[in-house]
Every structure is written in structure tokens, then in C-alpha cells.
Amino acid sequence: MLKNRLCYLFVLLCTAVFFVCYNGYISMYVFWLSLALPLLSLLISLSGMITLRVTVFTPGEEQPLRPAKAQAAPLHVAAVTRSVLPAGRARVLLRIKNRFTGEERRERLEFSPSRQPQILEHKLSSATCGLITCEISKARAYDLLGLFWLPVRMKEESCQIIVQPNVYVPALGLGPKRSPDGDGDRFSQQRPGSDPTELFGLREYRQGDRLNRIAWKLSQKTGSLLVKEASLPVTDRVLLLADLSGQGLEADGVMDLLATLAHFLSASEAGFTIGFSQGGLFRFMEISQPEETYPAIETVLCCTDRSPLPGRLPLEVPTGISRVVYLCPDPDPALLSSLGEQYPGARLTLMVLRPLDEKTSLPLHARAVRVRAGCIGEDLDGLQL
């Protein structure tokens, strides 16, 4: 706009010099015409400037697009006016914000609106995952000469794009680790328990055994008292704790780790629970079916406020956990201690993005794995959870 005004002042100066140096009707007409041009341009463009409407949307279905990282997603910005007269140009300031990493950028677009909607397709991509909102923060309508402008009134509307984290396919494995739980749906093959609905085995009678546990028919056949042993219910669930409080690239790396492990456990038909921070408190999501994995990952992307995980686990925690995988840039010693107290028999695995501090003391049966951003598939290859 400043450029147009400077050009107009230069033209006005030239016509003024022409009028002074060459006094006559032609120079006078040219001078007065140069003075009237801005007003004439504004009068012609005013109806189009007032009725201009600008919208932003994604093509296709009403559901947000879900591209992969660095994959271009189409974004449409449309401008239309109701005026039959020619309108000037329209300039739009588009604000694009990743609500997960906090990254924000602005892009300027220009239109030549008319009664037919002019749709500009903009390619949008992001190097990090997260919920990306696109909205028009400012729009201006200019006259034909670009000397005057009016703000465009817009409704508060925006469109969303969910950029998915990367899912790597390393050679992971699940070791034979189970934890006893009274509500388990499986039974231990190594240890007896107290669930009478499933028979673990038979053994000889010992002093203090209850008489109702004696297998009388089998005892008559063998000639010695045999006692039926009940089974021990066990569960084999994995707890994935995701600490997303690091920097933008670190939080993106933790999401890649979470998505990779979640899809591996889902493909292995292993039950798992995802834990993350929301509003400064723990939130747990139990995943039992493979089709629940994608919605759970999107929930973490869209709902987390990336606050640090609390230092202690809540009173109500997931039960039947045999493995705990703590995903973080740097572990919290208080949370490590709480995990050791709450799940003493579970195998604890730390996956950290930063070099582990030598002063960090790990609970018993815990191990730390350093994972580099961008090399997750390589660093996790051959790991047994």
C-alpha cells in the first residue's frame, strides 16, 4: 500500500509540474484528473470492499485431514464479493499454529475477488506432529488503485489438521513377564493361587490344608491324600507413560516413541494403558482393541497441555501392570521412586531423549535406553520390553 501511495504521489507531482510548465486546458485536465482518480477508484470499489467475505477450509469431508509429518495437506482460502462493479485486491493474513508444540507462523495471501468465488489452494505441511489450527487473523479490502483499505468482517472460524506422528517398525519383542492380579483373565503356569475356578494342579496333603480341597476320588485311587491347588490369575498389561513437557522437538520425539510402541503392542495383541498429563493431573487410557490405538494417539495430541507428569502416581492407578515404559526427555526421580513403590514386580524401562544424568538412581530391575530423535527405529531395534 505504501508503494502505491508513493507511486500516486509521484504521478501527482508530475502532473502538477506539467500544469505549471505548460499552462493550458490539457495540462489542467490532466492535473484535475490525477486529483480525482483516488476518489473515483474508491467510489467504484467501495461496494466490493464492503461486501467482501473470506473463508478458510479444508477440502473433502468435515473431518480434519490427517497427513503424515512433512506431507503437504491442501488448505483452501476463498474470497467472494457481491458487487457487480470491479473490486480491488484483498490481502489476507493466515495464522497457522501447532497447538501441540506451540509453533506459530503467519502467511500473507492476495486475491482479486469477484462475484465468482476465487479459491486459492495453499499447501500446508509441518515437520512436527500435533493439532494444527488455521485461521484468518486479518483481512483487508483495497480499492482499485490500492490507496485505501477497509477491514473485512469475518466470523470466528478456523479449520484443523491433525499431523500424525511417525510410526517406526523396529524388531521389538515381549519377554515372559506377568504380574499377579485378582481380576486377571489368564492364569499362571508356574505358581498356584487362590482362584478356585481354575485348577492349577494336585499335590500331597499337608498339615493345615482345608478338607474341602481334598480330591477324594483321586485319593482313593492312589491311596494317598491329594489336594487340589487353585490357580493364580495374572495379567500382562503394559503401562506407557509419556512425559511431553520437553521442548517442541523433544515432545515430537516422545510422540513418535509413543505411537511406535502403541502400534507394536496393538499388533502383538497385548493390552496396554497410556498415561499422560492433562491439567497437571494424570490421565490414563486403557487400550484393549487394535482399533482403539489411533483415537488414543489423537487424544494425546489434541488434549494434552504438555505439563510435566506429577511426581507421584494417583491413588487409583491401572492394575495388572507387568511392564512400565517411561517415555521422557529426562526422567523425574520422584516419579521413578513412585513407580518402584507402586509396581515393585513390574519391569521398568526408561526411554530418554537426553543423556541420562549420572546422579539419577534407577529402581531395581529398571533399565534406561537412550533414543535419538529421527533414529527411533534404529535405537529400538532388538529391544525386549
Side-chain angles (χ1 to χ4, degrees), residues 210-222 224-226 228:
R210 296 180 180 179
L211 296 180
N212 58 356
R213 292 186 178 179
I214 298 177
W216 296 105
K217 294 182 179 181
L218 294 176
S219 298
Q220 291 178 356
K221 294 180 180 179
T222 58
S224 60
L225 290 179
L226 298 178
K228 294 183 291 186

Side-chain angles (χ1 to χ4, degrees), residues 128-374:
T128 56
C129 62
L131 175 64
I132 297 181
T133 58
C134 308
E135 60 182 3
I136 299 175
S137 61
K138 187 185 298 184
R140 291 179 177 179
Y142 291 82
D143 66 313
L144 292 173
L145 292 180
L147 302 179
F148 305 98
W149 62 269
L150 290 177
V152 178
R153 295 182 179 181
M154 299 173 298
K155 298 180 180 180
E156 295 183 359
E157 58 181 11
S158 62
C159 60
Q160 296 180 345
I161 296 176
I162 302 178
V163 180
Q164 300 291 327
N166 290 335
V167 177
Y168 299 89
V169 190
L172 292 171
L174 284 174
K177 180 70 175 177
R178 294 180 179 178
S179 295
D181 190 293
D183 297 329
D185 53 358
R186 304 179 186 176
F187 298 91
S188 174
Q189 302 297 322
Q190 290 81 26
R191 296 167 53 192
S194 58
D195 190 344
T197 60
E198 188 76 12
L199 179 63
F200 177 76
L202 298 172
R203 61 171 176 82
E204 294 185 357
Y205 176 81
R206 299 172 188 168
Q207 187 68 26
D209 287 337
R210 296 180 180 179
L211 296 180
N212 58 356
R213 292 186 178 179
I214 298 177
W216 296 105
K217 294 182 179 181
L218 294 176
S219 298
Q220 291 178 356
K221 294 180 180 179
T222 58
S224 60
L225 290 179
L226 298 178
V227 177
K228 294 183 291 186
E229 285 188 308
S231 293
L232 176 65
V234 296
T235 55
D236 192 12
R237 297 193 64 85
V238 182
L239 175 60
L240 301 177
L241 284 180
D243 185 355
L244 303 167
S245 60
Q247 300 176 357
L249 292 178
E250 292 177 337
D252 179 72
V254 172
M255 281 303 307
D256 287 348
L257 275 173
L258 179 63
T260 299
L261 295 177
H263 284 81
F264 162 73
L265 294 173
S266 177
S268 303
E269 297 183 353
F272 62 98
T273 301
I274 296 177
F276 63 100
S277 177
Q278 184 178 9
L281 301 175
F282 273 105
R283 178 177 175 181
F284 297 101
M285 292 186 298
E286 185 174 330
I287 313 300
S288 301
Q289 302 296 330
E291 57 270 15
E292 299 175 354
T293 304
Y294 276 104
I297 297 298
E298 287 192 4
T299 300
V300 177
L301 276 176
C302 301
C303 297
T304 180
D305 53 8
R306 290 185 54 202
S307 57
L309 291 174
R312 292 195 62 84
L313 293 173
L315 297 178
E316 297 183 1
V317 295
T319 58
I321 300 299
S322 59
R323 301 172 182 85
V324 178
V325 183
Y326 183 13
L327 314 173
C328 60
D330 207 5
D332 182 6
L335 183 56
L336 286 177
S337 177
S338 179
L339 288 172
E341 296 174 359
Q342 188 68 45
Y343 302 110
R347 178 184 298 169
L348 175 60
T349 303
L350 275 74
M351 295 187 181
V352 295
L353 299 180
R354 303 173 187 170
L356 195 62
D357 191 356
E358 297 179 355
K359 298 181 181 180
T360 303
S361 59
L362 301 179
L364 296 177
H365 310 295
R367 56 178 174 172
V369 178
R370 172 74 190 285
V371 182
R372 298 165 296 171

